[in-house]
Amino acid sequence: MRITQGAFSYLPDLTDEEITLQIAYALDNGWPCSVEYTDDPHPRNSYWEMWGLPMFDLKDPAGVLMELNECRRTFPNHYVRLNAYDARYGRQTTALQFIVQRPGNEPGFRLTREETADRQVRYTMHAYATDRPEGERY
Amino acid sequence: MTPFGMRPPAPGEEESPPELLPRDAVVDLARERAESKIDEILDALDSELVGLAPVKTRIREIAALLLVDRVRGRFGLEAARPSLHMCFTGSPGTGKTTVAVRLAELLHRLGYLRKGHLVSVTRDDLVGQYVGHTAPKTKEVLKRAMGGVLFIDEAYYLYRAENERDYGQEAIEILLQVMENQRDDVVVVLAGYADRMDSFFSSNPGMSSRIAHHVDFPDYTAGELEEIGLLMLAREGYGLAAETGPVFRSYIELRRDQPRFANARSIRNAIERARLRHASRLMATAPKVDLAALTTLLPEDFQASRVFAGQ
């Protein structure tokens, strides 16, 4: 099941040229970019691992792409996403976020029903991938 | 479910390469040159920077090469992008930083650099203080400089021969790697005194071989220094009284022979001090001033300098 999180996730995966154009757009708006990765695709897992610090004062997309490619090389089977922060509001505000790498095989989620008091049923999602320990999931 | 892999461009959306010129076509180089607007920058370089003939020649050569390369590209002649990493050597105050700023702008106009900004750093910005601190620091600076020029002032401090555990070596290795692999993204300019740069290169042969252009900034002659001084004064809205000219000239002659003479920078400082004396002279003597008094430096503004004290 294809994970759809962040911008452009219903589009075909972006090529490197398209990613570069998106980064250039973010930098032109004055949004610093950062790279994050994870192997837990649960939609409520919003804090992914940071790949280095956010990159401030960059003028050109080449620097961001360099970090991005390094992250992809290190974690070839993880989800990797790119964030662009808009600092104008005085607090951390994500202005743009999209996935730039996903594992080759995404097994998807299982819906778990839990019976509670008064015959109520609670639902929760469970990613098949997280059955295995971290780092061995994909 | 498609495997990720970067999507190949769909058929049809691929941009067709620009039409190549036929082999017998003739290109108007003068028009190419006018279109790239490099003459503006080269002329500004000529008129605003005094002297520095070898530097100007080298920059003109580079500009010509990039322009010709562009025209060659239109005929479909492929040539590797020239490596433009440079080393500026010269005494303090000979205009190395100023030329680097102009160079960044020029390379941007010629389409070699995407942004054309200058990031000026020293050892402190590149080398960390503890294990594992250097690499992220150097990389951050390099990322900031991408699309423009990275100017490393007093680059020989990066390598400290007397301390083999110095982290400078690590910074040099990262620099070398990026200078080699991302030649299209960043131009590195090392600057420093000639003799110390020579010993830096002899202990880092890898660095030396990756730098294609070694540009030497000659010291200014007294005449050039005077011209520079007059340019600086004009830019700040001052002028010399007719009798101040010879005093200013002899000030330069005397200052040149003193220790710690830093070419144009010393001249700028002398002018700053003359401005101070000019201002306090006006405060002390003239209750009312006109525009001429406010903009004219008199001989005593320079004669009070300690340079004349030994006379």
Side-chain angles (χ1 to χ4, degrees), chain B residues 4 7 16 19 26 57 74 76 120 170 184 192 196 226 237 251 258 266 281:
Chain B
F4 196 90
R7 174 171 61 100
S16 59
E19 195 108 338
V26 178
T57 316
R74 290 176 44 194
S120 178
E170 200 183 338
D184 300 358
R196 297 172 83 173
E226 190 188 346
Y251 173 87
Q258 293 203 345
S266 292
R281 174 170 58 82

Side-chain angles (χ1 to χ4, degrees), chain A residues 14-15 59-60 72 102, chain B residues 4 6-7 114-115 146:
Chain A
L14 300 187
T15 61
K59 293 253 180 358
D60 191 82
R72 292 204 280 218
R102 56 178 77 236
Chain B
F4 196 90
M6 284 306 145
R7 174 171 61 100
R114 284 185 300 270
K115 301 281 172 192
M146 275 183 186

Side-chain angles (χ1 to χ4, degrees), chain A residues 13-15 18 57 59-60 62-63 66-67 70 72 100 102, chain B residues 1 3-4 6-7 114-115 117 139 143-144 146-147 182 185:
Chain A
D13 296 322
L14 300 187
T15 61
E18 288 163 336
D57 305 325
K59 293 253 180 358
D60 191 82
M66 184 177 95
E67 287 295 330
E70 219 156 291
R72 292 204 280 218
V100 289
R102 56 178 77 236
Chain B
M1 203 182 310
F4 196 90
M6 284 306 145
R7 174 171 61 100
R114 284 185 300 270
K115 301 281 172 192
H117 59 292
K139 276 195 186 152
K143 277 183 280 180
R144 259 185 13 226
M146 275 183 186
Q182 283 174 288
D185 294 324

Side-chain angles (χ1 to χ4, degrees), chain B residues 232-290:
Chain B
M232 286 177 182
L233 284 167
R235 213 170 290 154
E236 295 177 38
Y238 283 92
L240 296 181
E243 61 275 23
T244 319
V247 177
F248 187 49
R249 212 165 302 143
S250 58
Y251 173 87
I252 293 172
E253 294 285 355
L254 289 171
R255 182 69 187 86
R256 256 159 66 87
D257 300 330
Q258 293 203 345
R260 294 188 304 281
F261 176 66
N263 288 293
R265 208 172 291 149
S266 292
I267 301 301
R268 192 176 62 206
N269 291 342
I271 288 174
E272 289 298 319
R273 284 192 297 272
R275 284 176 61 191
L276 279 179
R277 291 188 206 108
H278 166 251
S280 52
R281 174 170 58 82
L282 287 185
M283 290 297 271
T285 57
K288 291 206 176 93
V289 290
D290 57 359

Side-chain angles (χ1 to χ4, degrees), chain B residues 26-305:
Chain B
V26 178
V27 175
D28 186 0
L29 262 183
R31 214 190 59 211
E32 286 289 319
R33 188 169 170 169
E35 271 171 19
S36 66
K37 296 201 180 88
I38 53 169
D39 281 322
E40 263 173 53
I41 297 186
L42 291 176
D43 290 344
L45 202 69
D46 266 343
S47 63
E48 288 168 38
L49 298 182
V50 179
L52 298 179
V55 180
K56 287 173 180 168
T57 316
R58 181 59 73 93
I59 289 191
R60 274 185 190 278
E61 283 168 4
I62 291 170
L65 170 69
L66 291 179
L67 199 69
V68 168
D69 260 4
R70 204 150 76 172
V71 176
R72 279 167 54 99
R74 290 176 44 194
F75 281 97
L77 293 169
E78 285 293 325
R81 275 169 70 97
S83 159
L84 283 191
H85 301 308
M86 295 189 202
C87 169
F88 288 176
T89 50
S91 310
T94 43
K96 298 185 286 284
T97 314
T98 316
V99 169
V101 174
R102 298 293 164 87
L103 181 77
E105 206 177 319
L106 182 78
L107 294 181
H108 175 54
R109 292 272 174 98
L110 284 165
Y112 190 89
L113 292 174
R114 284 185 300 270
K115 301 281 172 192
H117 59 292
L118 181 91
V119 174
S120 178
V121 296
T122 54
R123 180 190 153 93
D124 282 357
D125 301 290
L126 294 170
V127 179
Q129 292 167 3
Y130 42 84
V131 179
H133 190 202
T134 304
K137 236 178 139 171
T138 307
K139 276 195 186 152
E140 200 203 305
V141 167
L142 278 165
K143 277 183 280 180
R144 259 185 13 226
M146 275 183 186
V149 170
L150 177 65
F151 182 80
I152 305 176
D153 210 359
E154 306 195 77
Y156 38 78
Y157 282 134
L158 280 179
Y159 179 74
R160 293 212 168 133
E162 71 273 21
N163 182 358
E164 62 184 36
R165 291 211 309 245
D166 184 62
Y167 302 133
Q169 191 62 42
E170 200 183 338
I172 293 175
E173 271 155 31
I174 293 169
L175 275 176
L176 284 178
Q177 198 186 331
V178 172
M179 279 164 78
E180 189 65 30
N181 298 340
Q182 283 174 288
R183 230 182 288 172
D184 300 358
D185 294 324
V186 66
V187 169
V188 177
V189 177
L190 307 179
Y193 307 132
D195 49 339
R196 297 172 83 173
M197 284 312 283
D198 279 346
S199 60
F200 173 72
F201 283 133
S202 61
S203 43
N204 293 281
M207 193 61 117
S208 175
S209 61
R210 277 176 184 80
I211 288 179
H213 304 272
H214 292 260
V215 187
D216 193 44
F217 285 60
D219 281 351
Y220 292 113
T221 62
E224 286 167 347
L225 286 171
E226 190 188 346
E227 211 177 316
I228 291 169
L230 294 178
L231 266 177
M232 286 177 182
L233 284 167
R235 213 170 290 154
E236 295 177 38
Y238 283 92
L240 296 181
E243 61 275 23
T244 319
V247 177
F248 187 49
R249 212 165 302 143
S250 58
Y251 173 87
I252 293 172
E253 294 285 355
L254 289 171
R255 182 69 187 86
R256 256 159 66 87
D257 300 330
Q258 293 203 345
R260 294 188 304 281
F261 176 66
N263 288 293
R265 208 172 291 149
S266 292
I267 301 301
R268 192 176 62 206
N269 291 342
I271 288 174
E272 289 298 319
R273 284 192 297 272
R275 284 176 61 191
L276 279 179
R277 291 188 206 108
H278 166 251
S280 52
R281 174 170 58 82
L282 287 185
M283 290 297 271
T285 57
K288 291 206 176 93
V289 290
D290 57 359
L291 184 64
L294 283 173
T295 54
T296 311
L297 297 178
L298 294 182
E300 57 258 40
D301 296 331
F302 287 99
Q303 271 157 353
S305 164

